[in-house]
Amino acid sequence: MPSWLDPVAHAARTVEPLQLSRFLPPENGTGRQSAVLVLFGEGERGPELLLMERAGSLRSHAGQPSFPGGSLDPEDGDPRTEGPLRAALREAEEETGLDPRGVQLFGVLPRLFIPVSDFVVTPVLGWWHTPTPVGVVDPNETARVFTVPVSDLTDPANRATAVHPSGHHGPAFLVESALVWGFTAGVIDRILHFAGWERPWDRGRQVPLDWRA
């Protein structure tokens, strides 16, 4: 792995769940077990992240930029051990067409909870050492697949606070003609912070979810 990923790997080993989110899995073990692949690659403009935009017709998180990922299948195995790793790679291949043989998994973040959809999510960290072509595999699930340079994510000009109609506020990124918000933006925000990549930005800058209107 490249040395620039060392701070991310260190953060994965040391970060506590409440340092990532106040939404943690229910103590009674309920929730839909799932995993996402937080995949770092090296692009023309340096380090980058792989993201996708969910199809607008989906029941959960329609039209929202996200990491590749989804629910664990029984064949993925134990949700507390190898299951999330297998699920993250499998879902990423199904959604983007990437070859999982080109990915080295190097860590997992603490499991988090998305109350609105009842997902218990394990973010799995990967290094895309041998990139392969990616794109929309099933347009019923995915609208587009794209990469974002980390330098764009750390650029204060691309950062804002997203305001949900419910009144909830959270970090957001205006990159690649997309507004990245919600769970995905929260994970990116915390990775940038704990990896020491975060740059000061205007937290008072607010953007509504219908920012294109």
Side-chain angles (χ1 to χ4, degrees), residues 30-170:
T30 59
R32 302 161 64 188
Q33 298 295 325
S34 63
V36 295
L37 180 63
V38 184
L39 183 59
F40 290 91
E42 187 88 51
E44 294 181 358
R45 295 177 50 204
E48 61 184 15
L49 268 178
L50 179 69
L51 296 177
M52 49 175 272
E53 189 173 305
R54 295 169 61 84
S57 58
L58 291 177
R59 184 171 57 184
S60 296
H61 310 291
Q64 192 172 341
S66 68
F67 301 116
S71 298
L72 270 66
D73 287 345
E75 57 267 29
D76 292 324
D78 190 338
R80 296 187 175 274
T81 56
E82 298 295 317
L85 279 65
R86 294 193 183 99
L89 286 176
R90 175 181 54 75
E91 287 283 345
E93 181 178 15
E94 292 175 0
E95 292 175 332
T96 74
L98 68 76
D99 186 341
R101 293 174 297 183
V103 176
Q104 175 187 344
L105 302 181
F106 66 90
V108 296
L109 296 178
R111 296 187 307 150
L112 304 175
F113 186 54
I114 305 179
V116 67
S117 54
D118 198 38
F119 276 117
V120 175
V121 187
T122 301
V124 179
L125 305 175
W127 158 237
W128 207 3
H129 59 79
T130 308
T132 50
V134 291
V136 174
V137 175
D138 183 355
N140 292 317
E141 291 192 1
T142 308
R144 66 172 172 141
V145 177
F146 58 101
T147 57
V148 180
V150 171
S151 60
D152 285 354
L153 294 167
T154 59
D155 186 343
N158 297 331
R159 303 212 56 179
T161 296
V163 182
H164 192 275
S166 67
H168 175 74
H169 291 55

Side-chain angles (χ1 to χ4, degrees), residues 7 9-16 19 194:
H10 179 264
R13 293 192 299 268
T14 58
V15 71
E16 297 293 332
Q19 292 178 305
F194 287 107

